[in-house]
Amino acid sequence: MRNVVNDYFDVAVGIVRKAGRFITQYGSGCEEFEVKSCDIDFVTKVDKMVENFIIHSISKQYPSHKFIGEESVAGGAKVDLTDDPTWVIDPVDGTMNFVHGFPFSCISLALLISKEPVLGIIYNPLMDKLYSAKEGQGACLNGEPIHTSKVKELRHALVAFETGTSRDEEKVKVVFENFKTMVGQAHGIRALGSAALNMAMVAEGRADANFEFGIHIWDIAAGCLIVKEAGGVCIDPSGGPINLLSRRMLCAGRAELANELSKKLTQYYPDHD
Ligand code: LIP
């Protein structure tokens, strides 16, 4: 299994690096976009180009593999996760950043076999940072090993979280309640605007924890493996095992910090993917 995953990984990295060129062509911003669920949730032509390129390129190598892509789902495809090898794609994670030319956008790609990630890639071509992990083989940034931080207490932790792309009143209320908790109890808070890159910061030890409600499997599948392979934990924000389809995620460099956070967060339960 290890050898075949290594082959899948090598093919995927080459494809993702090529796809990154679509993003760097618009590094100063992309003003051509369509609104999706609300005025702060949208898709650009680059999202679609990247996703189509990745699906086409991988399908040529592995015709029996399946795909779950953010924009394919937005176009009506169902999130049908089976035990078959399934590539989960966020073609441009941090679309708001991408539209504005704020350089924290990335391609997030994971391969799941029997519903578990076996490889994950998060690539920010604007900063040439490729975060990756293969199951049981550690996590890397541009090929060099990375490790999560040792911070165990919220009062010493830099915590990343997002306002999200929903104007839903209940969701916004939860965002503000958790923002207030973090302002009062965390060492610091940051919002990069990309779920995957927030998780990459945790994997690299530059942030100590990250949580978010309302994200999708394509935002977090790669990041969950990369954080775990870097020595961290990914759990449900209320504690307990993570469900990649639940649209809820909490990750941290240390289990003690994740457990403290899970007890202090105001919870939100969106519909599953
Ligand atoms: C985004 C995530 C971000 C979240 C937004 C949105 P997109 O993904 O990366 O963390 O807050 O709601 O889901 O839409 O840029 O691919």
Side-chain angles (χ1 to χ4, degrees):
M1 178 69 158
R2 191 184 186 108
N3 290 339
V4 72
V5 169
N6 288 343
D7 291 346
Y8 291 151
F9 178 81
D10 294 343
V11 167
V13 167
I15 290 168
V16 166
R17 283 197 178 277
K18 283 181 187 163
R21 294 175 197 158
F22 292 115
I23 293 176
T24 49
Q25 285 170 7
Y26 290 84
S28 55
C30 180
E31 294 172 2
E32 299 168 64
F33 57 86
E34 298 161 28
V35 169
K36 293 198 309 189
S37 62
C38 70
D39 65 319
I40 55 173
D41 182 21
F42 26 73
V43 57
T44 71
K45 64 177 184 179
V46 176
D47 291 78
K48 294 176 182 175
M49 289 157 63
V50 169
E51 184 164 317
N52 292 337
F53 175 81
I54 290 174
I55 291 175
H56 176 75
S57 304
I58 292 178
S59 296
K60 274 199 303 189
Q61 297 276 348
Y62 309 116
S64 65
H65 287 194
K66 296 185 176 168
F67 298 89
I68 295 174
E70 176 176 12
E71 305 317 333
S72 305
V73 172
K78 292 283 175 258
V79 177
D80 178 21
L81 183 59
T82 67
D83 288 342
D84 295 335
T86 304
W87 297 87
V88 178
I89 311 165
D90 189 337
V92 179
D93 188 52
T95 306
M96 176 71 81
N97 291 345
F98 181 60
V99 163
H100 288 271
F102 187 68
F104 288 90
S105 299
C106 64
I107 297 169
S108 182
L109 177 66
L111 173 62
L112 279 65
I113 297 177
S114 301
K115 300 186 176 72
E116 292 297 333
V118 296
L119 72 86
I121 299 167
I122 296 172
Y123 178 44
N124 179 352
L126 301 165
M127 294 185 167
D128 193 25
K129 288 188 177 247
L130 191 141
Y131 298 87
S132 66
K134 290 173 274 189
E135 188 183 20
Q137 300 186 52
C140 293
L141 167 58
N142 293 344
E144 294 301 318
I146 54 175
H147 302 283
T148 55
S149 76
K150 296 181 169 53
V151 174
K152 296 181 178 180
E153 294 180 72
L154 182 57
R155 64 197 177 104
H156 297 145
L158 186 65
V159 181
F161 76 107
E162 298 290 332
T163 54
T165 48
S166 166
R167 298 244 198 240
D168 172 79
E169 199 171 323
E170 183 197 348
K171 168 73 182 323
V172 171
K173 182 171 177 289
V174 169
V175 167
F176 281 133
E177 286 177 7
N178 286 322
F179 183 81
K180 186 176 173 188
T181 302
M182 292 305 110
V183 166
Q185 300 189 42
H187 205 211
I189 54 180
R190 294 291 183 274
L192 286 183
S194 159
L197 288 174
N198 285 330
M199 298 180 83
M201 289 296 106
V202 173
E204 200 183 350
R206 294 182 184 278
D208 305 305
N210 167 226
F211 67 90
E212 191 162 354
F213 302 105
I215 33 74
H216 296 273
I217 184 171
W218 44 79
D219 292 306
I220 64 170
C224 281
L225 181 66
I226 293 169
V227 166
K228 282 191 272 190
E229 287 295 330
V233 296
C234 291
I235 63 173
D236 180 84
S238 63
I242 192 164
N243 171 354
L244 291 176
L245 294 168
S246 68
R247 301 185 62 202
R248 295 161 45 83
M249 180 279 299
L250 164 58
C251 66
R254 287 292 179 273
E256 295 90 339
L257 176 56
N259 293 333
E260 179 184 356
L261 261 171
S262 70
K263 295 181 175 62
K264 295 183 174 178
L265 290 176
T266 300
Q267 299 294 325
Y268 180 71
Y269 294 89
D271 293 338
H272 283 201
D273 276 330

